């Protein structure tokens, strides 16, 4: 038979007088939960302190859109007192991991005990301090891992595009190399005149013109390819639609080939055209392979620099380099419609910082700015010096921040984003990193046409700040 008097075996209630114990018995409520039942949901308002006297509770937290197990709490243990006394929403979901027996005390009862029983107050604050410290470490570590997961997913997407381009180009090179081999053999067998071969060789080394990527330019290019294919067809070229696009991209027009048709046989002209088109195709595919490999190298280099791999945690760094590395690895979020404008003071000296931690600040602030603009707008990043501080400003053209929200912006778990979009830790982590780790300042100025986050970092590192 469950007995609520077990409550007074706990250190939290052991110091109560006999009279006060009787008063508590008269003011408590008893509760029973079956395994799997929910006691309290994350985010709800807490009205009672609960004490688990039998069984085990499971605590969970929603991180980055998914439910993450935090801990298990075995009887006897008090829960929810921190949220109750602070008047804050519950940060965890509590459910029964086994069949449970609990008692609850209303807020008025708890506050009476706090005011009249010194031993109760000391024990409850000691319990709250230990639990909050452990929870702080857990949830911040979880958020950093979640942020790393989001970053990794974005990087994987960014790396996939150039990797796929390299694979396509390498695959195309097989066919292009076969075509070039057949075309070269045809040139030899048809005894191409030396002077014509020299002309073809000169043309093959011609640098291609810049591509007009506008809709009008694409239309003109398509029309030019059709005309070229028709012209090649009239001169006996088989499958001219395969060669016309590459010759047009190289800057050729049928008029340049007219003199050549009068100097060689139809067989020689066909061999020359095929060799020229195959040469340009190989050059194009080689260029695509090089561009893809360069992009992959750029991303990997930026990620290594972003994480300060194999480097000391605290060092003097170029602030702009860290921001650029961050922009590179966040390209998957920028490319849908965000224009980045830079206004850097390149005269800024290196700043003593924890490089990888500061880069997470840039990540959180830029990510927040992109969300504020719904992924479309102008992101402006400025830097300048004020006295002994480097100042970095990140401005978006989003819908701004309401005045009543500004005072709570850096609070943990405070967010104006819809469920699953954010959990209110990104700006809190940025604030802790700037203020506590780097002895700097993080402020915000919001208007109806955008928001500016301002980071101030001392140019002289006074001492190693605590975590």
């Amino acid at each position: 038979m469950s007995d609520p008097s077990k409550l007074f075996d706990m250190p939290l209630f052991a110091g109560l007088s006999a009279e006060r114990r009787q008063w508590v018995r008269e003011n408590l409520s008893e509760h029973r939960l079956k395994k799997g039942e929910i006691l309290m949901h994350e985010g709800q308002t807490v009205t009672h302190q609960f004490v688990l006297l039998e069984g085990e509770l499971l605590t969970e937290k929603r991180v980055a859109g998914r439910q993450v197990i935090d801990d298990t709490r075995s009887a006897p243990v008090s829960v929810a007192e921190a949220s109750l006394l602070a008047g804050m929403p519950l940060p965890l979901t509590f459910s029964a991991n086994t069949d449970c027996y609990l008692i609850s005390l209303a807020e008025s009862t708890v506050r009476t005990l706090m005011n009249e029983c010194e031993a109760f107050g000391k024990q409850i604050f000691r319990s709250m301090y230990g639990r909050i410290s452990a929870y702080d470490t857990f949830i911040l570590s979880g958020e950093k891992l979640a942020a790393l997961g989001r970053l990794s997913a974005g990087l994987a997407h960014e790396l996939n595009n150039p990797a796929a381009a390299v694979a396509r180009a390498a695959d195309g090179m097989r066919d292009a190399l076969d075509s070039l081999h057949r075309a070269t053999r045809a040139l030899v067998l048809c005894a191409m005149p030396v002077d014509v071969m020299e002309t073809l060789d000169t043309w093959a080394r011609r640098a291609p013109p810049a591509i007009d990527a506008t809709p009008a330019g694409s239309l003109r290019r398509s029309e030019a390819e059709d005309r070229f294919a028709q012209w090649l067809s009239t001169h006996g070229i088989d499958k001219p639609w395969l060669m016309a696009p590459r010759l047009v991209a190289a800057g050729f027009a049928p008029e340049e080939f007219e003199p050549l048709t009068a100097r060689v046989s139809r067989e020689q002209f066909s061999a020359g055209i095929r060799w020229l088109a195959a040469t340009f195709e190989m050059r194009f595919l080689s260029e695509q392979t090089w561009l893809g490999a360069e992009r992959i190298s750029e991303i990997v280099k930026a990620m290594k620099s972003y994480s300060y791999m194999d480097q000391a945690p605290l060092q003097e760094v170029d602030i702009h380099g860290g921001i650029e590395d961050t922009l590179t690895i966040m390209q998957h979020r920028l490319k849908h419609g965000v224009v980045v404008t830079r206004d850097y003071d390149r005269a800024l000296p290196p700043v003593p910082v924890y490089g990888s931690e500061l880069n997470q600040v840039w990540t959180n602030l830029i990510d927040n700015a992109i969300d504020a603009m719904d992924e479309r707008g102008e992101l402006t990043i400025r830097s300048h010096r004020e006295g002994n501080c480097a100042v970095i400003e990140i401005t978006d053209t989003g819908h701004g921040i309401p005045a009543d929200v500004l005072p709570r912006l850096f609070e943990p778990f405070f967010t104006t984003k819809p469920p699953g979009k954010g959990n209110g830790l990104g700006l809190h982590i940025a604030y802790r990193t700037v203020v506590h780790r780097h002895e700097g300042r993080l402020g915000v100025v919001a208007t109806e046409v955008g928001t500016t986050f301002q980071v101030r970092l001392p140019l002289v590192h006074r001492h190693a700040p605590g975590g």
Side-chain angles (χ1 to χ4, degrees):
M1 188 71 176
S2 301
D3 182 5
S5 64
K6 292 179 183 179
L7 182 73
F8 304 110
D9 295 332
M10 298 174 62
L12 182 60
F13 297 91
L16 299 182
S17 65
E19 180 183 1
R20 187 52 71 186
R21 289 186 183 197
Q22 181 58 36
W23 179 79
V24 168
R25 286 190 184 96
E26 294 171 355
N27 287 277
L28 62 78
S29 299
E30 297 180 69
H31 307 270
R32 297 184 184 280
L33 292 178
K34 294 293 185 182
K35 181 179 179 180
E37 289 184 338
I38 302 294
L39 174 64
M40 293 178 289
H41 288 278
E42 177 183 347
Q44 80 174 59
T45 300
V46 180
T47 58
H48 290 72
Q49 175 188 0
F50 288 87
V51 181
L52 177 67
L53 294 179
E54 294 176 9
E56 184 179 75
L57 291 173
L58 177 70
T59 58
E60 296 175 284
K61 173 70 182 174
R62 193 162 187 81
V63 177
R66 63 189 183 92
Q67 205 73 3
V68 177
I69 294 176
D70 167 46
D71 198 5
T72 54
R73 312 249 181 116
S74 300
V77 64
S78 172
V79 298
E81 67 275 10
S83 295
L84 175 69
L85 294 172
M88 298 289 290
L90 193 69
L92 297 167
T93 293
F94 288 81
S95 60
N97 209 32
T98 65
D99 290 349
C100 295
Y101 170 65
L102 309 95
I103 67 98
S104 65
L105 300 173
E107 181 178 356
S108 58
T109 303
V110 176
R111 292 197 180 277
T112 298
L113 291 174
M114 288 282 293
N115 293 332
E116 298 183 5
C117 305
E118 183 179 353
F120 179 87
K122 286 183 178 179
Q123 286 292 336
I124 206 166
F125 281 122
R126 186 178 291 118
S127 173
M128 287 167 58
Y129 179 80
R131 191 171 296 156
I132 290 171
S133 297
Y135 178 69
D136 185 61
T137 300
F138 163 79
I139 201 62
L140 289 179
S141 298
E143 171 61 18
K144 289 180 180 179
L145 287 174
L148 180 61
R150 294 192 297 270
L151 198 62
S152 299
L155 278 173
H157 179 75
E158 282 301 297
L159 285 169
N160 182 66
N161 289 336
V166 170
R168 287 194 301 270
D171 185 59
M173 279 184 178
R174 297 193 186 102
D175 293 336
L177 189 59
D178 287 342
S179 297
L180 183 60
H181 174 75
R182 291 192 298 269
T184 302
R185 184 173 183 272
L187 280 177
V188 174
L189 293 177
C190 74
M192 182 70 73
V194 174
D195 61 326
V196 174
M197 192 65 236
E198 288 178 349
T199 299
L200 293 174
D201 190 51
T202 299
W203 283 347
R205 293 194 297 270
R206 177 190 290 187
I211 296 177
D212 183 357
T214 64
S218 298
L219 179 61
R220 286 193 294 270
R221 188 165 56 252
S222 178
E223 292 173 347
E225 290 170 2
D226 289 341
R227 287 196 301 271
F228 212 141
Q230 292 173 9
W231 184 86
L232 290 173
S233 180
T234 61
H235 287 79
I237 305 298
D238 188 33
K239 297 180 180 179
W241 60 87
L242 296 178
M243 285 164 278
R246 191 55 54 214
L247 294 172
V248 169
F252 287 94
E255 293 75 20
E256 293 184 75
F257 290 91
E258 286 288 359
L260 192 63
T261 59
R263 298 166 55 191
V264 296
S265 66
R266 175 165 290 201
E267 179 187 7
Q268 290 172 329
F269 180 72
S270 176
I273 285 291
R274 292 185 181 281
W275 178 85
L276 196 60
T279 299
F280 283 127
E281 182 68 14
M282 279 295 296
R283 178 186 292 175
F284 170 77
L285 292 172
S286 297
E287 180 72 13
Q288 292 299 109
T289 303
W290 182 83
L291 289 174
E294 184 183 42
R295 178 59 180 162
I296 292 172
S297 177
E298 176 187 340
I299 295 172
V300 172
K301 181 181 177 182
M303 190 60 199
K304 183 175 180 180
S305 179
Y306 174 91
S307 63
Y308 283 80
M309 191 181 300
D310 304 325
Q311 297 183 43
L314 178 66
Q315 56 188 297
E316 293 190 341
V317 305
D318 173 17
I319 288 293
H320 307 119
I323 294 172
E324 287 302 313
D325 290 335
T326 303
L327 290 171
T328 296
I329 65 174
M330 293 188 71
Q331 184 60 35
H332 63 285
R333 296 224 59 204
L334 297 166
K335 64 184 180 182
H336 300 296
V338 177
V339 177
V340 180
T341 301
R342 299 161 174 86
D343 183 11
Y344 295 156
D345 178 3
R346 294 293 185 179
L348 272 178
V351 183
V353 297
Y354 295 91
S356 61
E357 296 182 36
L358 191 62
N359 282 345
Q360 189 177 23
V361 171
W362 309 139
T363 301
N364 289 340
L365 294 182
I366 292 171
D367 191 62
N368 187 78
I370 295 171
D371 283 340
M373 297 186 291
D374 297 325
E375 300 190 1
R376 292 187 179 277
E378 183 177 4
L379 177 70
T380 303
I381 305 176
R382 299 183 179 89
S383 67
H384 62 276
R385 179 171 182 166
E386 284 187 10
N388 292 323
C389 286
V391 181
I392 297 87
E393 296 177 343
I394 297 177
T395 303
D396 63 63
T397 54
H399 38 68
I401 302 173
D404 60 325
V405 170
L406 284 175
R408 302 189 60 191
L409 204 56
F410 301 118
E411 288 183 12
F413 310 116
F414 177 78
T415 180
T416 58
K417 298 176 183 178
K421 186 69 174 178
N423 54 25
L425 281 173
L427 293 180
H428 174 64
I429 291 174
Y431 183 86
R432 285 169 58 113
T433 302
V434 172
V435 176
H436 300 308
R437 288 289 279 172
H438 293 91
E439 301 177 320
R441 284 190 290 166
L442 176 57
V444 58
V445 177
T447 67
E448 294 181 354
V449 293
T451 303
T452 297
F453 283 90
Q454 188 178 76
V455 178
R456 293 176 181 270
L457 297 168
L459 294 172
V460 178
H461 187 76
R462 293 187 289 276
H463 54 81

